[in-house]
């Protein structure tokens, strides 16, 4: 539906694990009272599973912070991706994608097992390689 290509699973790694860590911390926190000469403030952290009623406030604040972080990142990234898409530099050309970016960009396969499955002269089959910006193939248009 959104046509998102997440080849390195960045969403699963960063969003999924980040949200999980924010939500799970109030549940699994140990009961520790941070008092001493080295601490500027005296505070107590504890978890829901350790029977601490204060942990529900931590869970609420973590959920709020997670939501605000998602809103902030979306507000920054959405216009950036829109501009890059309008300039046609967000994606590589279809030819490069079909042949494999590792072949087109680096003139060789990324992994040794790719050698068996690809022709050795596949790089020469790419017609009219696009101009490069920052080392990456550029799209059809420019701003």
């Amino acid at each position: 539906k959104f046509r998102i290509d997440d080849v390195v699973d960045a969403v699963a790694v960063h969003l999924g694990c980040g949200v999980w860590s924010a939500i799970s911390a109030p549940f699994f926190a140990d009961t520790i009272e941070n008092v001493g000469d080295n601490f500027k403030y005296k505070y107590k952290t504890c978890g829901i599973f350790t029977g601490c009623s204060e942990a529900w406030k931590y869970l609420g604040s973590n959920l709020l912070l997670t939501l605000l972080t998602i809103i902030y990142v979306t507000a920054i990234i959405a216009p950036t991706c829109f501009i890059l898409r309008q300039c046609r530099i967000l994606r590589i050309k279809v030819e490069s994608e079909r042949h494999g970016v590792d072949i087109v960009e680096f003139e060789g396969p990324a992994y040794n097992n790719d050698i068996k499955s690809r022709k050795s002269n596949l790089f020469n089959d790419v017609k009219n390689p696009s101009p490069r910006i920052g080392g990456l193939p550029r799209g059809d248009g420019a701003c």
Side-chain angles (χ1 to χ4, degrees):
K1 182 178 180 181
F2 293 111
R3 297 177 58 190
I4 296 173
D5 187 12
D6 187 13
V7 296
V8 295
D9 291 329
V11 172
V13 170
H14 296 285
L15 178 65
C17 294
V19 170
W20 167 247
S21 66
I23 292 172
S24 65
F27 286 97
F28 298 105
D30 288 333
T31 303
I32 300 171
E33 191 165 342
N34 295 310
V35 292
D37 297 335
N38 296 331
F39 295 104
K40 186 175 181 180
Y41 302 104
K42 295 180 180 180
Y43 59 93
K44 182 178 179 181
T45 59
C46 56
I48 293 171
F49 291 152
T50 58
C52 181
S53 61
E54 295 277 326
W56 291 101
K57 290 193 294 188
Y58 300 141
L59 177 62
S61 64
N62 284 7
L63 288 172
L64 178 62
L65 181 62
T66 300
L67 179 65
L68 292 175
T69 303
I70 291 170
I71 291 170
Y72 172 75
V73 169
T74 302
I76 298 297
I77 293 299
T80 303
C81 287
F82 178 78
I83 291 168
L84 292 173
R85 186 174 182 179
Q86 294 303 313
C87 294
R88 296 181 184 219
I89 57 175
L90 186 59
R91 292 191 55 94
I92 62 170
K93 286 189 167 195
V94 176
E95 298 165 346
S96 300
E97 194 170 1
R98 187 177 68 243
H99 290 297
V101 177
D102 52 348
I103 299 291
V104 174
E105 182 64 24
F106 303 108
E107 301 180 10
Y111 302 101
N112 288 335
N113 59 356
D114 286 349
I115 295 172
K116 299 173 187 172
S117 63
R118 296 183 181 183
K119 296 178 183 175
S120 61
N121 63 350
L122 190 56
F123 180 74
N124 297 327
D125 293 342
V126 179
K127 298 174 184 169
N128 301 324
S130 59
R132 297 173 183 256
I133 295 179
L136 295 175
R138 182 175 153 180
D140 296 323
C143 290

